[in-house]
């Protein structure tokens, strides 16, 4: 028998715990630092007894400081285990490129050039035809990146969880496949799914909080919340805040210099 669904308006977080779910960062360390500072200020101001800060993935690519993002998150997790980090498809794509330098893969085609630059590695620009010198440049860039990326960064990326659940909320990077129980979701769907998830209007057992698909502002639906506001380009990083039955959207805005 199917578990009854829950509407966003009725959903609540765990008693005594405030949740912050932060959308896709994509190398915008300035925005992530600003968001964390705001969260810290709120927790101290409101004397919050317990909390979780859940990062929904896509820490790397496109923006200017992927390396800085990973350093920051590693330090945050070491400081307090209540900082949780989930895997995004770009984070997995970074690991995939480190393993195999595919010139047609996600990393090279969608922002990995900027990730490599944050580690001080220049992989040939404008290589739209992948043969001859262009392909050789990718292989050389891959080798240089292997030497530049700290093992701690690789370990961090490999350690990322694919989902988390608190109260009436299920957190993941991209979304879920309708009709499949939350505990049986495919990892590919959790990091890549789009249309079949977005088009589904029925309620789920929990509210799905996700990023992955950019929207101009947070998208709050009956069955899901999308907090990917294209931070790397828009200069706006968005989070969902849940405190008991209270829910609100928190944004940080910094235009890139």
């Amino acid at each position: 028998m199917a578990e009854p669904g829950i509407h966003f308006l009725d959903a609540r977080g765990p008693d005594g715990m405030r949740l912050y779910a932060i959308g896709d960062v994509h190398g915008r360390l300035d925005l992530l630092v600003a968001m964390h500072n705001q969260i810290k200020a709120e927790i101290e101001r409101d004397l919050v007894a317990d909390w979780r800060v859940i990062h929904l993935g896509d820490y790397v690519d496109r923006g200017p400081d992927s390396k800085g993002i990973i350093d920051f998150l590693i330090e945050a997790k070491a400081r307090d285990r209540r900082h949780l980090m989930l895997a995004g498809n770009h984070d997995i794509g970074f690991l995939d490129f480190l393993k195999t330098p595919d010139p047609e893969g996600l990393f090279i085609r969608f922002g990995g050039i900027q990730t490599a630059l944050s580690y001080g590695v220049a992989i040939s620009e404008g290589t739209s035809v992948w043969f001859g010198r262009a392909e050789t440049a990718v292989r050389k860039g891959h080798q240089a990146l292997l030497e530049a990326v700290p093992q701690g960064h690789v370990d961090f990326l490999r350690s990322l969880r694919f989902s988390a659940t608190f109260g009436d909320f299920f957190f993941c990077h991209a979304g879920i496949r309708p009709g499949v129980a939350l505990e049986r979701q495919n990892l590919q769907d959790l990091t890549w799914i789009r249309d079949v998830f977005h088009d589904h209007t029925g309620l789920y057992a929990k509210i799905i909080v996700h990023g992955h698909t950019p929207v101009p502002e947070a998208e709050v639906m009956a069955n899901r919340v999308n907090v990917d506001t294209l931070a790397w380009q828009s200069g706006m990083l968005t989070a969902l805040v849940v405190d008991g039955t209270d829910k609100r959207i928190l944004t940080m805005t910094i235009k890139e210099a």
Side-chain angles (χ1 to χ4, degrees), residues 21 24 31 33 52 68 76 121 145 147 176 197 230 249 251-252:
D24 304 36
L31 285 167
V33 170
R52 297 292 185 278
V121 175
L145 197 56
E147 296 170 4
I176 67 166
F197 168 60
L230 198 68
I249 298 297
T251 60
M252 287 292 116

Side-chain angles (χ1 to χ4, degrees), residues 82-103:
R82 289 177 291 187
H83 291 107
L84 307 177
M85 294 83 182
L86 305 183
N89 59 311
H90 282 261
D91 311 312
I92 296 168
F94 186 16
L95 280 176
D96 288 345
F97 181 79
L98 290 175
K99 182 178 179 181
T100 305
D102 180 6

